[in-house]
Amino acid sequence: IVIVNHHLYFADRATRLRGGSILPAHDVAIFDEAHAVEEIAIEFFSTAVSSARVGRIVDDSLSALQKAQNTGKAHSAKLANSAKELAFSFFSGFRGNSEGRARLTPADLSSQSRDHYHRLDSALEALVFSMELVDKEPLIESASERLKTLRSDFDKVLNPSNAKTVHWVENRSRSVLIGASPIDVRDRLRDGILFSVPSVIFTSATLSIDGD
């Protein structure tokens, strides 16, 4: 018997969709407080990027590059600083006057915002290219994959291919997030849990079906 919270379970489900796993294989899943499952599923099947995330990944990439390089450290630092400055310019366009989440419409993505995004993406691409020029080490490979995932997430949020998503911006005290969330997670729950685990039980004192 393995007892985990909803967040870890859905982290495992999301990882399995990418070919990996966190939890061991199992034949039965019992969800307590099942009325919270939908909201948590939406969270894990959403895509989001933030100014804080860009800063962390760029700093880690710079650290990995400087450890791997004997020369070119000044150039790497210039690339990293450029990426952080462009990220600041991009996210500043979405900074609101108060904290909280609001819907993001296509009109909110002005030509200026897209210009900042494309410049930022080019800077992140340049960092990835710099890593391809040095010896492949675990730190380099990890940082490179994180940068590639970051670029992919930016593309999903800003260039959506699925109409069944809602886009949003969230202002926090120290960062700004923009993201895309699925409007309906029924298919993901059906494929990721109900059709993947032989027996599933949802239990909750406040669980309702069709408003009852």
Side-chain angles (χ1 to χ4, degrees), residues 124-136:
L124 296 175
E125 184 181 28
L127 272 174
V128 173
F129 181 72
S130 295
M131 292 182 175
E132 294 176 349
L133 300 178
V134 300
D135 294 334
K136 293 296 183 291

Side-chain angles (χ1 to χ4, degrees), residues 132-204:
E132 294 176 349
L133 300 178
V134 300
D135 294 334
K136 293 296 183 291
E137 299 178 0
L139 281 177
I140 288 291
E141 291 183 346
S142 174
S144 179
E145 286 303 314
R146 290 172 68 197
L147 280 169
K148 291 176 183 177
T149 300
L150 178 63
R151 293 184 65 211
S152 174
D153 287 350
F154 263 111
D155 182 66
K156 291 176 183 177
V157 171
L158 297 173
N159 301 300
S161 58
N162 186 353
K164 296 181 179 181
T165 59
V166 60
H167 294 76
W168 47 267
V169 56
E170 181 175 328
N171 279 274
R172 298 180 178 176
S173 58
R174 296 186 178 181
S175 66
V176 179
L177 295 83
I178 57 172
S181 299
I183 295 173
D184 191 334
V185 293
R186 285 179 296 181
D187 290 343
R188 288 177 170 88
L189 287 174
R190 186 180 297 116
D191 296 339
I193 297 177
L194 298 179
F195 290 172
S196 299
V197 182
S199 298
V200 183
I201 299 172
F202 295 98
T203 176
S204 167

Side-chain angles (χ1 to χ4, degrees), residues 20-201:
S21 66
I22 298 174
L23 301 174
H26 47 281
D27 296 323
V28 180
I30 302 174
F31 291 89
D32 192 18
E33 302 297 331
H35 57 275
V37 164
E38 182 182 17
E39 182 177 348
I40 296 171
I42 289 173
E43 177 184 343
F44 272 94
F45 293 121
S46 297
T47 302
V49 289
S50 70
S51 51
R53 180 183 172 193
V54 173
R56 286 194 303 270
I57 293 178
V58 169
D59 285 342
D60 290 346
S61 299
L62 175 60
S63 177
L65 274 170
Q66 291 186 335
K67 289 178 180 178
Q69 290 176 325
N70 293 321
T71 59
K73 292 184 178 182
H75 178 64
S76 299
K78 184 177 180 180
L79 286 176
N81 289 332
S82 175
K84 288 196 288 187
E85 289 173 1
L86 289 167
F88 177 82
S89 297
F90 172 78
F91 284 103
S92 291
F94 298 94
R95 172 61 77 179
N97 295 323
S98 59
E99 294 184 24
R101 181 176 293 192
R103 185 168 183 177
L104 194 63
T105 68
D108 294 322
L109 295 173
S110 64
S111 58
Q112 183 179 19
S113 296
R114 288 200 170 275
D115 179 61
H116 285 149
Y117 157 62
H118 289 303
R119 293 170 64 191
L120 171 58
D121 184 63
S122 295
L124 296 175
E125 184 181 28
L127 272 174
V128 173
F129 181 72
S130 295
M131 292 182 175
E132 294 176 349
L133 300 178
V134 300
D135 294 334
K136 293 296 183 291
E137 299 178 0
L139 281 177
I140 288 291
E141 291 183 346
S142 174
S144 179
E145 286 303 314
R146 290 172 68 197
L147 280 169
K148 291 176 183 177
T149 300
L150 178 63
R151 293 184 65 211
S152 174
D153 287 350
F154 263 111
D155 182 66
K156 291 176 183 177
V157 171
L158 297 173
N159 301 300
S161 58
N162 186 353
K164 296 181 179 181
T165 59
V166 60
H167 294 76
W168 47 267
V169 56
E170 181 175 328
N171 279 274
R172 298 180 178 176
S173 58
R174 296 186 178 181
S175 66
V176 179
L177 295 83
I178 57 172
S181 299
I183 295 173
D184 191 334
V185 293
R186 285 179 296 181
D187 290 343
R188 288 177 170 88
L189 287 174
R190 186 180 297 116
D191 296 339
I193 297 177
L194 298 179
F195 290 172
S196 299
V197 182
S199 298
V200 183
I201 299 172

